Amino acid sequence: MVKIFIDPGHGGTDPGAVGNGLQEKNLTLQIATRIKDILVAEYNNVTIKMSRTGDTFPSLNDRTDQANAWGADFFLSVHINSGGGTGYEDFIYTSTGQAAKTYQDNIHAAIMKLVDFKDRGQKTGNLHVLRESSMPALLTESGFIDSATDSAKLKTATFIESLARGHVNGIVKSFSLTKKSTAVYHTVVNGDTVYALSRTYGSTANQIKDWNGLDADYTIKVGQTLRVK
């Protein structure tokens, strides 16, 4: 089981960066929560713990202490930038192992593939959550809240979804996560056979037989609904 610790930056009395009607603490929680929801709903063998799930402010020590005590395999800290720039960048610790660099490569590439942000590059930094976490760690900075262009994108649900999906796709590649199987059902029409359905939907004939309790002759009836994948 892969253990991912997700840290939405700031929170509570600390809004983080503020600009263009947005607060960093709200955006980081939206993105982080969506990352968690996608991973839990769509992928096998992954469990998530978050440093906060509401508008609270864990200290920096609280965040890394939680992750270390839990024995996380990866620490992801989600932030929004400010200071007059534009675009996306991410950070690993100044002296770190190959795993953190590989995860940074994967997540950076996956995010840039899905979002229309200037690529500010992959960087290193002596930041608490990167330095004090016992596992590979990455801090992402998804746009500048004080940029009119970036903030306009951050105000849209579709862009937040793309940011979350980018993070997820990079995590999936980093840890070789597999997708949960999704059952597909088919209502039998005249002329359907189990063998034709197995070719169409990618199931084996025996799987269809076993899933639906068919007899030894694979007998199906018109109007019967079968699980086929």
Side-chain angles (χ1 to χ4, degrees):
M1 183 68 71
V2 177
K3 300 167 78 171
I4 308 293
F5 190 91
I6 306 177
D7 171 39
H10 307 280
T13 57
D14 174 16
V18 177
N20 293 299
L22 297 172
Q23 292 186 328
E24 182 180 5
K25 67 174 184 178
N26 297 328
L27 290 169
T28 60
L29 186 60
Q30 288 176 39
I31 297 165
T33 300
R34 188 63 187 134
I35 294 169
K36 177 202 67 149
D37 289 346
I38 295 170
L39 285 169
V40 169
E42 298 183 11
Y43 290 91
N44 296 307
N45 300 319
V46 61
T47 184
I48 310 297
K49 187 176 181 67
M50 294 178 63
S51 62
R52 65 183 181 97
T53 57
D55 191 17
T56 59
F57 179 70
S59 70
L60 293 177
N61 283 332
D62 288 338
R63 297 170 200 249
T64 50
D65 286 352
Q66 284 185 63
N68 293 341
W70 187 46
D73 296 301
F74 179 55
F75 187 108
L76 173 66
S77 192
V78 179
H79 287 259
I80 309 296
N81 226 328
S82 66
T86 183
Y88 171 83
E89 62 191 13
D90 45 45
F91 294 83
I92 55 176
Y93 186 47
T94 50
S95 59
T96 190
Q98 182 56 45
K101 182 64 173 68
T102 298
Y103 301 161
Q104 181 184 37
D105 291 345
N106 292 340
I107 292 170
H108 189 99
I111 290 172
M112 294 313 304
K113 185 175 181 179
L114 291 187
V115 300
D116 179 23
F117 265 155
K118 175 184 176 182
D119 187 347
R120 295 175 56 87
Q122 298 172 228
K123 302 180 179 181
T124 62
N126 185 18
L127 305 171
H128 176 96
V129 294
L130 305 179
R131 183 182 64 248
E132 301 301 326
S133 50
S134 300
M135 67 295 304
L138 179 72
L139 184 145
T140 63
E141 293 274 12
S142 297
F144 281 69
I145 206 166
D146 53 351
S147 158
T149 302
D150 287 7
S151 64
K153 295 172 183 176
L154 291 167
K155 288 178 181 179
T156 67
T158 54
F159 199 82
I160 294 296
E161 178 71 11
S162 293
L163 277 172
R165 286 276 172 190
H167 283 77
V168 167
N169 291 348
I171 291 169
V172 167
K173 182 175 181 180
S174 296
F175 293 95
S176 301
L177 299 179
T178 59
K179 273 231 170 192
K180 291 181 178 178
S181 61
T182 303
V184 174
Y185 296 90
H186 175 85
T187 301
V188 175
V189 298
N190 194 34
D192 278 345
T193 70
V194 168
Y195 299 97
L197 293 174
S198 68
R199 288 193 299 272
T200 300
Y201 292 99
S203 307
T204 69
N206 280 331
Q207 281 175 325
I208 294 175
K209 174 179 177 291
D210 293 343
W211 285 337
N212 297 283
L214 303 180
D215 63 23
D217 295 323
Y218 297 85
T219 302
I220 59 175
K221 298 177 181 179
V222 172
Q224 183 177 1
T225 299
L226 300 180
R227 180 182 171 188
V228 291
K229 184 178 180 182

